[in-house]
Amino acid sequence: MSNLDYLNSGKVRNDWSLAEIEAIYNQPFNDLLFAAQLIHRQNFNPNEVQTSTLLSIKTGACPEDCAYCPQSGHYNTGLSKEKLMAVQKVIEKAQQAKKNGATRFCMGAAWRSPREKDLDVVIEMVRQVKDLGLETCVTLGMLTDEQAGKLAEAGLDYYNHNLDTSPEYYEQIITTRSYEHRLDTLQNVRDAGINVCSGGIIGMGEKINDRYGLIKQLANMPEHPQSVPINMLVAVPGTPLGEVEKLDEFDFIRMIATARIVMPKSYVRLSAGREDMNEQTQALCYFAGANSIFYGEKLLTTANPEAEADSILFKRLGIQPEQRHHSKEQIEEEAAEIVAKGVTKAAEEATASKKPLFYDATEVN
């Protein structure tokens, strides 16, 4: 077996070197896609894609200075500041997302880190979205271990916190938060038992080694992120990266395939930038191992292909939205929880109204 055959074997590892990732990324394009597709088929249904919907629950005026972000309070991008969205409005959006076929509902807030009073509101959103039968994901900035624990208790399924780029290039993109801050938050999330969603952005003016470095950081975590979003920069006028040169789409496809090979059991999400991709590029990304997308008209504040366009492309490619399959034990547990919640609610209502829960046959009128 050659060294490249070993690297393309789909073995789960957490000790990747930069040279190994470089070798995978730079192999002939057809060989790279073939290896990625084989590994993809070993771990997933190749004709299913997990669909998520992302909603900005608090937009604008973020104190961070991320050079790509229109929500940063450091830049004038014409984006207005909005308050934290009301819980009921979020639930209405989640209901519509489920109706449109999403299986996961993601909520994003433009914060450095959440205040406790705001976290309480988000926790209620998480609980009510889960009651709809959707998986839940939030991205709220940095978390303490205590905050991660509270979100875990609420039943949060995923927490998104991207590394964005390599450690070496990071300070060219963000100065208000260190790389270690990001790694610490991800560790707090893992320790709380929440699934990690973490990836990065390609096309921010980084060198090719920085792309290898991003993949290395993700793949050498104590546990591979369960979800790995790979974003193509959406250059927003008014941000420091507003005029950056557009990324070669073959480089983007190589990143998707490399992520699939070195993190074989992770969902690889084809994320921001799809609005600028033609159908052929997206199809190659799916072939390279992308099996998750954001489904809907907007990603926080940037455009995204509409759900109808995705459905048409899925049909042409023979792809189906992934369906969540629950075991008999899971179904029984969920049914028991629903019954228990119903009994508890009835008891609380009866206590609040000071009426007995059952009819008293001995009571004299």
Side-chain angles (χ1 to χ4, degrees):
M1 177 184 291
S2 70
N3 186 51
L4 198 52
D5 287 337
Y6 171 71
L7 298 180
N8 288 335
S9 66
K11 181 180 179 181
V12 176
R13 295 173 49 193
N14 305 85
D15 60 349
W16 292 92
S17 71
L18 208 64
E20 288 175 326
I21 293 170
E22 179 180 4
I24 291 171
Y25 181 98
N26 286 307
Q27 61 189 304
F29 190 72
N30 285 343
D31 292 346
L32 173 63
L33 263 61
F34 182 69
Q37 176 64 197
L38 285 178
I39 291 169
H40 187 53
R41 287 174 177 269
Q42 292 167 7
N43 296 284
F44 297 97
N45 182 328
N47 297 310
E48 283 190 350
V49 171
Q50 187 275 326
T51 54
S52 300
T53 292
L54 176 61
L55 175 69
S56 178
I57 59 174
K58 189 274 177 186
T59 303
C62 180
E64 305 282 20
D65 67 353
C66 307
Y68 53 81
C69 186
Q71 299 205 63
S72 172
H74 295 257
Y75 317 124
N76 182 15
T77 61
L79 190 70
S80 59
K81 177 182 178 181
E82 297 177 8
K83 294 181 179 179
L84 181 60
M85 192 177 289
V87 173
Q88 185 54 42
K89 185 68 174 178
V90 171
I91 301 310
E92 290 171 5
K93 295 287 188 180
Q95 290 170 333
Q96 186 61 47
K98 184 177 180 180
K99 183 179 178 181
N100 290 342
T103 58
R104 185 180 307 160
F105 192 70
C106 306
M107 295 162 275
W111 291 322
R112 175 178 171 82
S113 57
R115 297 178 299 179
E116 291 308 310
K117 67 176 184 178
D118 292 327
L119 185 64
D120 290 340
V121 177
V122 174
I123 284 172
E124 183 58 28
M125 292 175 185
V126 169
R127 286 175 175 152
Q128 292 197 33
V129 170
K130 282 189 70 71
D131 286 344
L132 297 176
L134 288 165
E135 289 183 331
T136 53
C137 177
V138 296
T139 178
L140 313 173
M142 294 183 292
L143 289 184
T144 65
D145 54 353
E146 183 179 358
Q147 289 173 324
K150 288 181 179 179
L151 288 166
E153 288 175 9
L156 181 67
D157 297 297
Y158 287 82
Y159 192 83
N160 168 260
H161 200 62
N162 289 336
L163 294 181
D164 288 345
T165 188
S166 70
E168 293 77 16
Y169 193 64
Y170 183 81
E171 289 186 0
Q172 302 300 313
I173 302 299
I174 303 157
T175 66
T176 51
R177 180 193 316 187
S178 73
Y179 212 76
E180 285 303 317
H181 284 146
R182 291 182 181 266
L183 295 175
D184 289 346
T185 288
L186 291 175
Q187 187 60 55
N188 290 337
V189 169
R190 272 192 299 272
D191 289 344
I194 301 170
N195 291 312
V196 167
C197 175
S198 187
I201 306 171
I202 314 305
M204 298 191 293
E206 73 280 353
K207 293 183 171 60
I208 189 76
N209 276 357
D210 294 309
R211 297 174 193 165
Y212 310 150
L214 170 62
I215 294 291
K216 178 185 174 184
Q217 284 290 321
L218 293 167
N220 287 349
M221 288 182 181
E223 183 180 359
H224 292 167
Q226 284 74 27
S227 179
V228 181
I230 304 296
N231 300 271
M232 181 187 287
L233 176 70
V234 177
V236 179
T239 66
L241 298 178
E243 302 298 327
V244 73
E245 185 178 349
K246 192 175 185 299
L247 181 72
D248 185 320
E249 293 185 349
F250 283 107
D251 290 340
F252 185 81
I253 297 165
R254 283 184 178 275
M255 280 294 290
I256 293 283
T258 303
R260 167 53 64 221
I261 291 170
V262 303
M263 291 173 281
K265 297 185 181 299
S266 300
Y267 280 82
V268 177
R269 175 172 295 147
L270 176 58
S271 200
R274 287 201 301 127
E275 178 74 8
D276 295 328
M277 297 179 195
N278 61 30
E279 292 181 334
Q280 292 76 16
T281 296
Q282 292 186 61
L284 281 172
C285 286
Y286 294 133
F287 186 79
N291 62 336
S292 177
I293 62 169
F294 280 123
Y295 197 65
E297 64 182 18
K298 185 177 285 189
L299 296 183
L300 295 180
T301 59
T302 57
N304 193 47
E306 294 184 1
E308 184 178 357
D310 286 324
S311 296
I312 292 170
L313 180 57
F314 278 13
K315 186 175 182 180
R316 293 178 67 188
L317 298 177
I319 288 174
Q320 299 290 329
E322 183 186 64
Q323 300 298 314
R324 292 304 187 197
H325 305 292
H326 298 287
S327 66
K328 179 180 177 182
E329 292 76 12
Q330 287 176 310
I331 293 172
E332 290 174 348
E333 287 179 7
E334 290 174 2
E337 287 180 6
I338 291 171
V339 171
K341 285 181 179 179
V343 171
T344 301
K345 184 177 180 181
E348 289 174 348
E349 289 175 350
T351 300
S353 62
K354 297 183 179 180
K355 292 180 180 180
L357 196 57
F358 301 104
Y359 172 69
D360 185 357
T362 65
E363 185 175 18
V364 178
N365 292 327

